[in-house]
Amino acid sequence: MKTHDFWYDLPEELIAQTPLEKRDSSRLLVMDRSSGKVEHKHFYDILDYLRPGDCLVMNDSRVLPARLLGHRPTGGAVEVLLLRDLGDKKWECLCKPGRKMQIGHSVIFGNGELTATVTDIREDGNRVVEFHYEGIFLEVLERLGKMPLPPYIKAELQDQERYQTVYSSEIGSAAAPTAGLHWTDELLNKARDKDVQTAFVTLHVGLGTFRPVKTEEISEHHMHSELCMISQETADILNQTKANGGRIICVGTTSCRTLESLVKEDGTFEASSKWTEIFIFPGYEFKAMNGLITNFHLPESTLVMLVSAFAGRENVLSAYEEAVKEKYRFFSFGDAMFIG
């Protein structure tokens, strides 16, 4: 299949720039994947589509305030984006402007409580940066760092917590698992009252999630690597759900990629973790997931390919066309789909 097979036309004004005041008041497009039939609802209506015995699987990764704005000793402005913790106070980073960040160059953040030195330059241009600070790095980041919002969001985020899910707990993502942004604690409790199980997995989202597919043939695209894990408690809940005939409904493509990466050949789960490069596109046979809650994704992206693998390319592109016509809000702070 060609990358262009997953193109759709999106007016720029439909790209949501800010979150809604109430998380669960976003719109919800409900799709029956066997027929392609769609309904227009609100996210709080999701309860009508969940059955006793179902299991919601959610990614509990928490976004690191990984965008640091600093300056060189000579005064030039520098932006450093944390990508991966290498240990010993060193991180792989994306630095702008790169030409100003050569080996040995240093950067000052805030009032100088955090400084950094470039120690290496990778083949892809990323820098290895060693940080210097007193105390706990995460606490320093909470004070000085900003949320690394996607490039299509131009507005400043007033409340950084709105780019976190209400159940986020494991710090490590460079981007939010955005399908989970619609849930409130109250709505989750209502789902549990309906005998819907909740289970948590962890996949730390990398910035590669925004990397465009540049190959003409989608099969030639290579996915970025992300760390994902399942606890024994979650494995037990998933195995019980499947044994009892319940549906496993993934909240977001990251939860889906985690389950499909870690499911065993016999369809069961056990506590496990791995670096996954799984690329799900039409033709893929799902071994774990029965339903998906997801946002609307960028044209020609690996995420729209994953959704198409689950619900059919024609169904998905038709639903997206309907969503554009109905002026749904798109991407990270946008509206949601439930595909069952």
Side-chain angles (χ1 to χ4, degrees), residues 6-46:
F6 298 89
W7 170 260
Y8 69 92
D9 191 32
L10 179 69
E12 192 172 340
E13 64 267 20
L14 296 185
I15 300 173
Q17 294 295 314
T18 54
L20 294 179
E21 186 179 342
K22 294 184 177 178
R23 289 177 183 261
D24 62 357
S25 62
S26 53
R27 294 167 78 188
L28 180 69
L29 188 148
V30 180
M31 180 203 282
D32 180 321
R33 66 188 177 115
S34 58
S35 67
K37 179 174 174 281
V38 300
E39 299 176 82
H40 301 291
K41 300 288 182 176
H42 285 91
F43 195 80
Y44 48 72
D45 296 318
I46 190 72

Side-chain angles (χ1 to χ4, degrees), residues 42-310:
H42 285 91
F43 195 80
Y44 48 72
D45 296 318
I46 190 72
L47 297 174
D48 297 336
Y49 298 90
L50 302 177
R51 306 174 199 147
D54 285 347
C55 178
L56 291 168
V57 181
M58 292 168 282
N59 182 7
D60 61 9
S61 184
R62 187 168 174 80
V63 185
L64 203 62
R67 187 167 161 251
L68 289 163
L69 304 178
H71 61 274
R72 298 178 61 219
T74 52
V78 175
E79 179 177 329
V80 174
L81 192 61
L82 307 180
L83 298 180
R84 185 176 295 184
D85 186 356
L86 303 175
D88 294 327
K89 297 188 175 183
K90 292 182 178 179
W91 284 73
E92 182 178 348
C93 300
L94 186 64
C95 298
K96 297 180 187 176
R99 67 184 184 281
K100 301 287 189 183
M101 294 289 284
Q102 302 301 320
I103 293 174
H105 286 182
S106 59
V107 192
I108 301 162
F109 304 99
N111 60 6
E113 67 173 298
L114 179 66
T115 61
T117 306
V118 179
T119 61
D120 192 18
I121 300 177
R122 296 276 169 94
E123 278 185 25
D124 56 7
N126 290 345
R127 269 56 175 170
V128 175
V129 172
E130 182 175 357
F131 287 95
H132 317 284
Y133 53 89
E134 296 290 330
I136 299 169
F137 187 55
L138 287 177
E139 291 180 357
V140 176
L141 268 189
E142 290 288 347
R143 288 194 296 275
L144 299 179
K146 294 179 177 290
M147 284 298 163
L149 294 177
Y152 48 75
I153 294 179
K154 313 298 183 192
E156 189 76 22
L157 182 62
Q158 298 304 314
D159 177 5
Q160 301 220 101
E161 204 56 34
R162 290 306 306 273
Y163 196 55
Q164 306 280 16
T165 63
V166 296
Y167 46 77
S168 65
S169 60
E170 303 298 322
I171 293 179
S173 276
T178 54
L181 296 179
H182 306 279
W183 288 98
T184 63
D185 287 322
E186 181 185 14
L187 195 61
L188 281 170
N189 286 332
K190 285 181 179 177
R192 293 177 183 123
D193 289 343
K194 196 174 175 177
D195 289 329
V196 173
Q197 294 262 39
T198 54
F200 296 95
V201 298
T202 304
L203 181 143
H204 291 314
V205 187
L207 281 183
T209 192
F210 302 118
R211 187 187 300 157
V213 178
K214 293 183 177 177
T215 59
E216 185 179 352
E217 294 285 342
I218 65 173
S219 59
E220 294 173 6
H221 176 71
H222 181 70
M223 289 290 284
H224 56 289
S225 182
E226 294 169 312
L227 179 63
C228 62
M229 56 201 100
I230 285 180
S231 67
Q232 190 58 52
E233 180 184 8
T234 288
D236 291 342
I237 293 171
L238 294 173
N239 292 336
Q240 181 185 15
T241 299
K242 293 188 90 166
N244 293 343
R247 295 179 301 172
I248 291 177
I249 297 169
C250 290
V251 178
T253 55
T254 58
S255 299
C256 166
R257 292 179 70 238
T258 299
L259 294 198
E260 296 296 328
S261 296
L262 297 177
V263 66
K264 292 159 63 178
E265 282 300 315
D266 63 0
T268 62
F269 292 91
E270 62 185 10
S272 53
S273 65
K274 68 184 286 190
W275 287 90
T276 182
E277 296 177 355
I278 191 171
F279 180 19
I280 297 175
F281 55 88
Y284 179 85
E285 290 191 17
F286 288 84
K287 305 172 192 67
M289 184 173 76
N290 308 115
L292 177 65
I293 295 169
T294 188
N295 280 17
F296 293 92
H297 304 292
L298 277 75
E300 299 185 335
S301 64
T302 60
L303 303 180
V304 93
M305 293 171 190
L306 183 154
V307 176
S308 296
F310 187 60

